[in-house]
């Protein structure tokens, strides 16, 4: 991949992004940042054989293309959110509209349209059980939601973001 052009984005005929064609250098940069998101551009450049400026440009293009995000992953418990849950949602009609409505709720950090017993899954973080109950009411009030099932997290055993690239 040239450092002058953004990574090409693959799209379906409807225009939905399906992925980005990445060269081995971009994949290596992503994997290094998955291991340590605070790694400097100079250190990344040394590891992949590019200048600091070239790495900075690549990282910026990857961010702009939506290939990756660089964020601080926090522990909800230590930030005052001791209750986390995954909510299975069944609905009728337009799943995308329901997913968008759920994604607009601040306390919901993850929404996915699924195949299987539920149409959608939504992960949320709450201050307490009353907060969870209030959020369940808001989810159930979304038009075409027919039912929900709550899976309250008791103990987190594994959460990683370093699955690499393909």
């Amino acid at each position: 991949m040239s450092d002058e052009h953004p990574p090409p984005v693959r799209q379906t005929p409807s225009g939905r992004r399906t992925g980005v064609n990445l060269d081995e250098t971009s994949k290596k940069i992503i994997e290094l940042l998955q291991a340590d998101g605070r790694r400097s551009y100079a250190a990344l450049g040394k590891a992949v054989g590019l200048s600091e400026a070239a790495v900075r440009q690549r990282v910026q293009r990857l961010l702009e293309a939506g290939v990756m995000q660089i964020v601080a992953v926090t522990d909800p418990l230590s930030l005052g959110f001791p209750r986390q849950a995954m909510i299975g949602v069944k609905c009728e009609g337009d799943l995308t509209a329901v997913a968008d409505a759920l994604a607009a709720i601040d306390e919901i950090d993850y929404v996915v349209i699924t195949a299987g017993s539920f149409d959608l899954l939504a992960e949320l973080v709450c201050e307490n059980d009353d907060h969870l109950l209030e959020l369940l009411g808001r989810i159930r009030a979304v038009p075409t939601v027919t039912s929900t099932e709550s899976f309250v997290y008791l103990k987190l055993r594994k959460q990683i973001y370093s699955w690499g690239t393909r």
Side-chain angles (χ1 to χ4, degrees), residues 84-88 110 112 121-124 149-153:
Q84 291 180 268
M86 184 68 71
I87 310 299
Y110 176 83
V112 63
L121 293 174
E123 183 182 65
L124 49 86
E149 185 172 343
S150 301
F151 301 91
V152 175
Y153 298 179

Side-chain angles (χ1 to χ4, degrees), residues 2 11-13 19 21 28 40 46 52-53 57 61 66 69 76 86 95 114 121 138-139:
S2 165
Q11 292 186 335
T12 64
N21 294 323
K28 182 66 175 173
S40 72
K46 185 175 181 179
E52 180 179 342
Q57 290 172 351
R61 286 195 307 263
Q69 298 175 21
M86 184 68 71
L95 299 179
T114 65
L121 293 174
R138 288 170 55 194
I139 292 168

Side-chain angles (χ1 to χ4, degrees), residues 1 7 9 17 19-23 25-41 44 54-73 161-165:
M1 175 169 79
V9 177
R17 183 184 343 178
V20 174
N21 294 323
L22 300 173
D23 68 2
T25 301
S26 290
K27 289 178 181 180
K28 182 66 175 173
I29 290 169
I30 291 167
E31 290 171 358
L32 291 166
L33 287 170
Q34 285 177 322
D36 179 2
R38 298 182 305 161
R39 189 179 299 233
S40 72
Y41 293 127
L44 291 168
V55 170
R56 184 181 300 109
Q57 290 172 351
R58 278 190 186 233
V59 168
Q60 188 59 40
R61 286 195 307 263
L62 292 166
L63 293 168
E64 289 170 359
V67 173
M68 67 178 187
Q69 298 175 21
I70 299 174
V71 299
V73 178
Y161 299 97
S162 58
W163 48 82
T165 60

